[in-house]
Amino acid sequence: MYDGSHFASTGEASGVDESLWLMGRAHYKPVIEICGGTEIGGGFIAGSLLQPQSLSAFSTAAMGCSLFILGEDGSPRPFDSPGVGELALGPLLFGASSTLLNADHYGVYYKGMPVWNGKVLRRHGDVFERTSRGYYRAHGRADDTMNLGGVKVSSVEIEKVCNAVDESVLETAAVGVPPPGGGPDKLVIAVVFKDSKGSKDNLNSLKVSLNSALQKKLNPLFKVSHIVALPSLPRTATNKVMRRVLRQQFSQVGSRL
């Protein structure tokens, strides 16, 4: 959307390069990012012209919405504390659903969620980061997790390490693929290169670098089983990476991974 001076973007926040390209078409005015969902009848987090903006990030909760980032113990982090965790919403939210077709509304959104000020928080399902400067960044679905050698880890944690390993890497997607004969998931990394020319020849050396980085920064038991070079990652209309699609594709060729 373009109002003559600023662009607005819905769904997940655009990438840094995408944001700069779009800003360049509006005299480098900030892109106002908005993220929401059908089940809440609108947005829950957004950018604002009343605040300084940051590339590929959100600056504030939407009007009438409260945001909570849950810590490892499942409790809300302090509001001014930077960190990454599953996002929860305050239960009093304009337009939020109260029933679901063919599903238990309470079970989907409230069961097992922490209580804050006497009210049960509403599950959202995305992983969000609050930066040290107070901005918010989306990191995909919280249920994009896998079990590697008995250790539960999110795709986001692995991808954050993989994206920084080599300058030739544009983005990655990490999925756990069950082997055909059963057993622990195999870690498969889908890689999109900034320049595809000649990059596929370097997959073996990249695999070594990824293993080294993951074992050093996350867990010495983690091991990349296979790397698949793709021209782009499958995404929803709102720019969310569809890791389940990759998992299904890789599972179908599991015997060759």
Side-chain angles (χ1 to χ4, degrees):
M1 184 178 69
Y2 183 57
D3 67 359
S5 60
H6 293 79
F7 281 100
S9 175
T10 61
E12 286 194 359
S14 306
V16 171
D17 291 340
E18 296 166 336
S19 293
L20 285 173
W21 183 90
L22 199 57
M23 288 169 58
R25 271 95 189 131
H27 307 288
Y28 287 94
K29 300 289 182 64
V31 176
I32 303 302
E33 304 280 0
I34 305 168
C35 190
T38 304
E39 77 285 355
I40 58 174
F44 63 89
I45 192 169
S48 171
L49 295 178
L50 301 179
Q51 300 168 311
Q53 297 300 290
S54 180
L55 289 172
S56 303
F58 307 93
S59 62
T60 184
M63 183 180 295
C65 181
S66 301
L67 303 178
F68 302 84
I69 294 180
L70 305 183
E72 293 183 0
D73 61 354
S75 300
R77 293 176 177 271
F79 285 108
D80 58 352
S81 171
V84 180
E86 182 177 350
L87 182 73
L89 305 177
L92 303 179
L93 177 63
F94 294 127
S97 63
S98 58
T99 59
L100 286 176
L101 292 175
N102 303 319
D104 177 8
H105 190 270
Y106 177 84
V108 170
Y109 293 115
Y110 295 100
K111 186 177 180 179
M113 294 298 290
V115 175
W116 183 80
N117 279 0
K119 297 184 181 298
V120 181
L121 298 183
R122 181 184 176 108
R123 180 179 292 107
H124 181 269
D126 278 0
V127 173
F128 262 73
E129 173 187 3
R130 188 182 193 280
T131 71
S132 58
R133 297 173 60 202
Y135 295 99
Y136 294 90
R137 299 188 186 279
H139 289 291
R141 297 294 297 172
D143 54 9
D144 282 323
T145 60
M146 65 195 80
N147 192 314
L148 301 177
V151 179
K152 190 176 182 180
V153 61
S154 73
S155 298
V156 173
E157 291 179 272
I158 293 176
E159 291 160 6
K160 186 175 182 179
V161 174
C162 293
N163 290 340
V165 164
D166 194 289
E167 292 183 353
S168 67
V169 174
L170 176 63
E171 60 180 345
T172 62
V175 296
V177 178
D185 287 348
K186 291 185 176 181
L187 174 57
V188 179
I189 306 293
V191 179
V192 178
F193 291 103
K194 295 177 182 177
D195 183 358
S196 60
K197 295 181 180 179
S199 296
K200 292 183 180 180
D201 297 332
N202 300 323
L203 290 182
N204 288 333
S205 60
L206 179 60
K207 180 179 177 180
V208 173
S209 299
L210 292 178
N211 275 324
S212 177
L214 290 172
Q215 291 167 6
K216 180 179 180 180
K217 297 182 179 182
L218 289 182
N219 193 302
L221 298 178
F222 291 172
K223 179 181 179 181
V224 177
S225 174
H226 199 77
I227 297 178
V228 179
L230 298 176
S232 62
L233 299 178
R235 295 181 181 273
T236 66
T238 55
N239 206 37
K240 294 183 179 181
V241 176
M242 294 189 291
R243 297 181 184 86
R244 59 179 176 80
V245 173
L246 293 173
R247 186 178 298 109
Q248 183 179 17
Q249 292 175 350
F250 297 157
S251 295
Q252 292 173 351
V253 296
S255 60
R256 286 178 277 167
L257 295 180

